[in-house]
Amino acid sequence: MNSGRCAACKYLRRRCPSDCIFSPYFPPNDHQRFACVHRIYGASNVGKMLQQIPSHDLRAKAADTLYFEAKYRIQDPVYGCVGMITQLHQQIHSAESELAKTQAQIAFLNSNDHAQESQVQNIETKLHPDSNILILPEQTNAAGGLWSYVPASATSTDQTSWF
């Protein structure tokens, strides 16, 4: 056997002519590449497609594309490369959703931090007008009014001083 034959000519068991359309795109060391393409498209159809493309660079891209599509069509006969593309789109969508959720959590935590800082500033300014007693937010009633402070001396000893 002549080692100068391309993978296509080896696979088809024929002599490789000097102007073989397959030799630049299916090297002899990668026989699986042509086998995949031949199995899906057939050697005659691949040869016709490559001959219709005028530029060598475009032919190389077309051969790569045919191999890519054929390889995934063999792996997944129903969806082929479209199944892989769909799966990648789902992964992108999932990652974007997770990113948006994380950004929303960060924004929420940042707003809570800002609210807590402003609440601390408000607490520092809310002193009971008659004394130096600090009125905390937990000491406000549901209507927004303040609970009254009754001095311990004004009540009996068994009651609490806060109402």
Side-chain angles (χ1 to χ4, degrees):
M1 285 189 359
N2 187 0
S3 64
R5 293 188 305 168
C6 66
C9 292
K10 282 183 181 179
Y11 186 84
L12 299 172
R13 296 182 181 148
R14 66 180 191 187
R15 186 181 60 83
C16 190
S18 60
D19 63 340
C20 180
I21 191 72
F22 300 114
S23 63
Y25 317 110
F26 300 102
N29 58 352
D30 192 5
H31 68 281
Q32 193 67 14
R33 181 177 166 98
F34 181 76
C36 287
V37 171
H38 174 67
R39 181 175 171 189
I40 299 299
Y41 299 106
S44 177
N45 290 331
V46 173
K48 288 176 188 175
M49 285 188 264
L50 291 177
Q51 285 176 344
Q52 290 177 353
I53 300 172
S55 169
H56 176 72
D57 292 336
L58 291 177
R59 284 183 185 176
K61 289 179 182 179
D64 290 340
T65 302
L66 289 171
Y67 170 65
F68 179 79
E69 290 180 6
K71 183 174 103 176
Y72 284 100
R73 181 62 66 180
I74 290 170
Q75 289 177 1
D76 185 359
V78 175
Y79 295 107
C81 64
V82 175
M84 180 184 159
I85 292 168
T86 302
Q87 181 183 15
L88 292 173
H89 277 291
Q90 289 173 349
Q91 288 177 358
I92 290 170
H93 178 70
S94 173
E96 287 174 343
S97 297
E98 188 175 333
L99 176 63
K101 182 179 176 183
T102 304
Q103 288 174 338
Q105 288 174 343
I106 290 171
F108 177 74
L109 292 174
N110 284 341
S111 68
N112 278 351
D113 287 345
H114 180 67
Q116 286 177 352
E117 288 174 6
S118 65
Q119 189 177 24
V120 167
Q121 290 172 355
N122 288 342
I123 289 174
E124 291 172 355
T125 61
K126 286 186 179 180
L127 290 175
H128 194 276
D130 297 336
S131 66
N132 290 333
I133 299 172
L134 180 64
I135 307 299
L136 297 176
E138 296 85 34
Q139 295 171 326
T140 60
N141 61 20
L146 299 175
W147 294 101
S148 350
Y149 173 76
V150 179
S153 61
T155 63
S156 66
T157 57
D158 59 339
Q159 293 180 348
T160 61
S161 61
W162 291 96
F163 289 110

